[in-house]
């Protein structure tokens, strides 16, 4: 994943932090002018320092006094309609973007949103929006998969045009992003153009971005042109490497599994139908977009 995407996402998180703290400071201005509050703050700071010194010398700290002052300050803040702390958008990391040295879910979500804008899917769908009762069992199955850890890390969704494959993809992507996963959505055509550029330039970024995300959605596999010594090799690298790393890949396509075997090769076909790590199913029906 390009560092500039991570940096841009982190800057957005830090902007929220700065906004929350500026808002808090503005709310506190009236309190700072209250002599009683200033006196309480000063005394509270003094007792905290004194208690820290006592603890370092194995003496009993005056926790009762400390708690009393803390409650008085909190009560005074409440009377001014001021919260005890800045209202950060993420209560896990306080809008830092990282938690215990790891990416916080809020940063992962921001990264996914940035990558989403490059995919052509600026807005996603929700499982709750599905009105097709015939697909309800399938939607429940896929929602459960999004919310539970599974050994099945490749999902192959086949079916004719307009039966709801891309809609389901958008619901799954939305659910996973809300769960704090770094998600990338790409059309097979767009990904194939990156394969072609990679073969010309040798720049790893054109392939690496498909290996770094936690969940990769490939939409409309089979609509891309087949370039000799490019499409088959690089597509296999992506699918196989993600399988090896136990990273999830979701593929939508108009092709049947037999079509996949005929269009691509046995290696790609075997990775898709691997029963230990794959889920394959087909959605039947009429083109809903024509109704």
């Amino acid at each position: 994943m390009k560092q500039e995407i991570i940096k841009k996402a982190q800057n957005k998180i830090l902007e929220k932090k700065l906004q929350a703290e500026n808002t808090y400071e503005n709310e506190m201005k009236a309190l700072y002018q209250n002599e009683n509050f200033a006196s309480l703050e000063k005394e509270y700071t003094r007792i905290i320092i004194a208690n820290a010194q006592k603890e370092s010398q194995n003496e009993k700290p005056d926790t009762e006094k400390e708690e009393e002052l803390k409650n008085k300050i909190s009560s005074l803040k409440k009377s001014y309609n001021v919260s005890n702390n800045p209202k950060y958008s993420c209560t896990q990391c306080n809008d830092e973007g990282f938690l215990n040295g790891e990416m916080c879910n809020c940063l992962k979500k921001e990264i996914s949103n940035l990558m989403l804008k490059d995919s052509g899917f600026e807005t996603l769908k929700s499982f709750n929006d599905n009105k097709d009762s015939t697909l309800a069992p399938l939607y429940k199955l896929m929602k459960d998969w999004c919310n539970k850890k599974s050994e099945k890390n490749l999902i192959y969704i086949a079916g004719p045009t307009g039966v709801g494959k891309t809609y389901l993809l958008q619901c799954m992507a939305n659910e996973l992003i809300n769960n704090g996963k770094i998600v990338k959505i790409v059309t097979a055509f767009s990904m194939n153009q990156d394969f072609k550029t990679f073969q010309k330039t040798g720049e790893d970024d054109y392939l690496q971005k498909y290996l770094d995300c936690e969940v990769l959605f490939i939409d409309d596999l089979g609509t891309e042109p087949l370039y000799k010594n490019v499409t088959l090799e690089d597509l296999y690298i992506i699918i196989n490497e993600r399988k090896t790393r136990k990273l999830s890949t979701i593929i939508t396509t108009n092709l049947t599994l037999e079509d996949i075997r005929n269009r691509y090769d046995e290696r790609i076909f075997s990775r898709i139908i691997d029963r230990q790590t794959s889920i394959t199913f087909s959605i039947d029906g009429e083109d809903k977009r024509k109704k």
Side-chain angles (χ1 to χ4, degrees):
M1 187 184 309
K2 289 186 177 180
Q3 288 301 313
E4 53 260 37
I5 293 178
I6 298 175
K7 189 67 176 176
K8 188 174 181 180
Q10 190 176 15
N11 285 340
K12 285 183 172 291
I13 297 295
L14 292 176
E15 284 175 11
K16 293 178 182 179
K17 180 181 180 69
L18 182 61
Q19 183 177 3
E21 290 176 350
N22 284 341
T23 300
Y24 182 71
E25 283 299 316
N26 287 332
E27 291 174 349
M28 289 288 290
K29 283 180 179 178
L31 266 174
Y32 287 140
Q33 296 172 2
N34 184 304
E35 291 183 4
N36 186 31
F37 178 78
S39 177
L40 285 170
E41 280 266 273
K42 186 176 180 180
E43 180 62 15
Y44 183 59
T45 302
R46 187 196 66 77
I47 197 71
I48 287 178
I49 295 172
N51 282 341
Q53 290 174 339
K54 286 180 180 179
E55 286 180 333
S56 68
Q57 297 169 6
N58 293 322
E59 296 178 12
K60 186 179 179 181
D62 189 353
T63 54
E64 186 176 333
K65 183 64 175 179
E66 183 177 329
E67 189 65 21
E68 178 189 342
L69 289 167
K70 182 180 177 180
N71 289 336
K72 285 182 178 180
I73 290 172
S74 180
S75 178
L76 193 52
K77 281 184 175 181
K78 190 174 181 180
S79 70
Y80 276 76
N81 199 27
V82 176
S83 57
N84 284 323
N85 298 292
K87 294 179 181 178
Y88 297 112
S89 60
C90 178
T91 56
Q92 298 297 311
C93 70
N94 289 340
D95 293 342
E96 291 285 348
F98 287 86
L99 189 63
N100 299 324
E102 301 289 335
M103 278 191 190
C104 183
N105 285 350
C106 68
L107 179 57
K108 289 183 178 182
K109 187 172 183 178
E110 201 62 57
I111 290 171
S112 292
N113 288 336
L114 288 174
M115 293 196 294
L116 197 63
K117 291 181 179 178
D118 294 331
S119 70
F121 294 93
E122 289 195 26
T123 58
L124 297 175
K125 306 297 183 183
S126 168
F127 280 112
N128 297 329
D129 296 333
N130 175 48
K131 305 300 181 185
D132 190 339
S133 59
T134 61
L135 292 179
L138 174 59
Y139 273 62
K140 183 181 184 306
L141 177 67
M142 290 297 95
K143 184 175 182 179
D144 287 345
W145 180 88
C146 290
N147 289 287
K148 296 177 182 177
K149 189 173 182 179
S150 173
E151 294 298 320
K152 309 286 188 178
N153 54 29
L154 188 144
I155 298 179
Y156 175 88
I157 308 170
T161 300
V163 295
K165 302 186 301 296
T166 300
Y167 189 97
L168 176 57
L169 174 154
Q170 290 177 281
C171 290
M172 293 176 70
N174 188 43
E175 190 79 8
L176 289 162
I177 289 171
N178 287 334
N179 287 344
K181 297 293 184 183
I182 297 179
V183 169
K184 182 172 181 61
I185 305 177
V186 64
T187 63
F189 181 87
S190 177
M191 185 171 69
N192 204 38
Q193 296 305 305
D194 281 338
F195 292 165
K196 192 175 179 182
T197 305
F198 169 69
Q199 292 295 330
K200 286 182 179 179
T201 65
E203 295 181 18
D204 290 341
D205 283 346
Y206 286 100
L207 284 191
Q208 197 62 43
K209 62 185 176 181
Y210 299 115
L211 299 173
D212 286 343
C213 55
E214 293 175 292
V215 186
L216 173 66
F217 288 87
I218 305 173
D219 195 30
D220 274 341
L221 186 69
T223 58
E224 79 286 355
L226 287 177
Y227 298 122
K228 186 177 180 181
N229 299 325
V230 176
T231 306
L232 299 185
E233 290 304 315
D234 291 346
L235 181 59
Y236 175 74
I237 288 172
I238 296 302
I239 291 177
N240 185 65
E241 187 66 19
R242 291 187 62 82
K243 281 263 189 179
T244 302
R245 297 185 187 184
K246 296 184 178 181
L247 297 171
S248 298
T249 307
I250 293 89
I251 298 170
T252 71
T253 181
N254 293 349
L255 304 178
T256 65
L257 287 171
E258 189 61 31
D259 292 334
I260 291 289
R261 171 179 266 165
N262 295 333
R263 177 178 171 82
Y264 299 101
D265 60 22
E266 192 66 31
R267 297 176 306 161
I268 293 173
F269 174 74
S270 66
R271 300 308 279 153
I272 290 175
I273 65 166
D274 179 5
R275 291 183 179 179
Q276 297 298 318
T277 57
S278 299
I279 298 173
T280 63
F281 60 85
S282 177
I283 302 176
D284 298 320
E286 299 178 12
D287 188 340
K288 294 179 176 60
R289 287 173 292 191
K290 291 182 179 180
K291 292 185 177 181

